[in-house]
Amino acid sequence: MNEIKVTVHGNVVTDPTPRAARNGSVYTTFRVATTPYRRTADGSYADLGTSFYSVIAFDTVAANAAVSVRKGQPVIIEGNLSTKTYTDRDGVSHSSVEVEAHHIGHDLRWGRASFERVSRAAALGADRTADEEVRRSVAALVTAARPAGVDENGEIHDVAVPGPPPPALVGPASGYPDADRRAPAGPAPAGPAADDPDADDPDADRPGFGDPTPGDPETDDYELADAV
């Protein structure tokens, strides 16, 4: 659908009126008057006819305009232009030029304005943190003593627990997985058992056990299998 985009410079002639639609959405309406002036043939400037526009805004633009715009203030409005036709109580048909506002701002050629950023939830009244009671409760929590490990932003950090240091690792901390599970160091066993890994093995003297004697590589495997 083709839509006409317009920018209207004018003065607010009615206070914005916020309303709620049947589906719960918010919209705000007000009227704006604009009087253009042109230079005449003799070099002077003269006002032309005054035009009136009905302005309607939805959602956050509507909520913010309801608390920011007042009657008599100069504004700049950008939106879609359309013509509405209606019939009054006497049965007389009328037409009205309407602007569905997408952007509304004060005209700073004629004065100053301040800006306050708010979230969409806060503008539509759905933000509980915007309530005065909630703000006082949050302020009380900020001024109260914070527990250990919680900073001013409410983030939790690890806190070192006082106590004896952990026991030292057994064996060199070489990075191997079983470095801390090695047996504690002690006196080395004396005698031949210290050098012979099979000294305590009862099957060490049986044929086929212990260190095999080098022999014929073609028959060693078969002899070892027979011995088992």
Side-chain angles (χ1 to χ4, degrees):
M1 184 177 72
N2 295 327
E3 295 178 337
I4 302 175
K5 299 286 186 179
V6 296
T7 301
V8 177
H9 299 248
N11 294 321
V12 180
V13 295
T14 61
D15 284 324
T17 303
R19 295 182 174 90
R22 294 180 180 179
N23 60 0
S25 62
V26 178
Y27 68 97
T28 298
T29 59
F30 58 94
R31 287 180 61 82
V32 172
T34 176
T35 304
Y37 61 96
R38 295 289 186 270
R39 189 172 184 177
T40 60
D42 58 1
S44 61
Y45 287 89
D47 293 336
L48 303 182
T50 300
S51 300
F52 293 89
Y53 298 90
S54 296
V55 180
I56 184 170
F58 297 92
D59 203 53
T60 53
V61 178
N64 291 329
V67 298
S68 303
V69 177
R70 292 293 178 266
K71 180 179 178 180
Q73 293 179 347
V75 293
I76 301 175
I77 300 170
E78 183 272 329
N80 296 335
L81 182 68
S82 61
T83 302
K84 304 294 182 180
T85 302
Y86 63 95
T87 304
D88 61 14
R89 295 179 180 180
D90 299 329
V92 180
S93 179
H94 301 272
S95 62
S96 173
V97 180
E98 182 178 282
V99 178
E100 181 181 340
H102 298 160
H103 303 90
I104 300 175
H106 289 98
D107 191 345
L108 299 183
R109 294 182 304 168
W110 311 105
R112 298 177 181 177
S114 60
F115 179 79
E116 178 185 1
R117 183 181 295 276
V118 296
S119 65
R120 181 178 184 273
L124 297 177
D127 187 5
R128 281 283 296 158
T129 59
D131 293 348
E132 187 63 29
E133 182 179 353
V134 176
R135 289 181 178 272
R136 287 196 299 266
S137 300
V138 173
L141 291 175
V142 173
T143 56
R146 296 191 302 271
V150 180
D151 61 14
E152 63 275 7
N153 297 322
E155 298 181 359
I156 301 176
H157 303 276
D158 294 335
V159 181
V161 179
L169 296 178
V170 177
S174 58
Y176 292 98
D178 57 348
D180 57 343
R181 296 195 297 271
R182 295 180 179 177
D195 300 326
D196 186 3
D198 298 327
D200 296 333
D201 190 352
D203 297 326
D205 296 331
R206 291 176 56 191
F209 289 85
D211 295 332
T213 302
D216 189 354
E218 297 181 357
T219 59
D220 280 349
D221 293 341
Y222 295 99
E223 293 174 356
L224 181 59
D226 294 340
V228 174

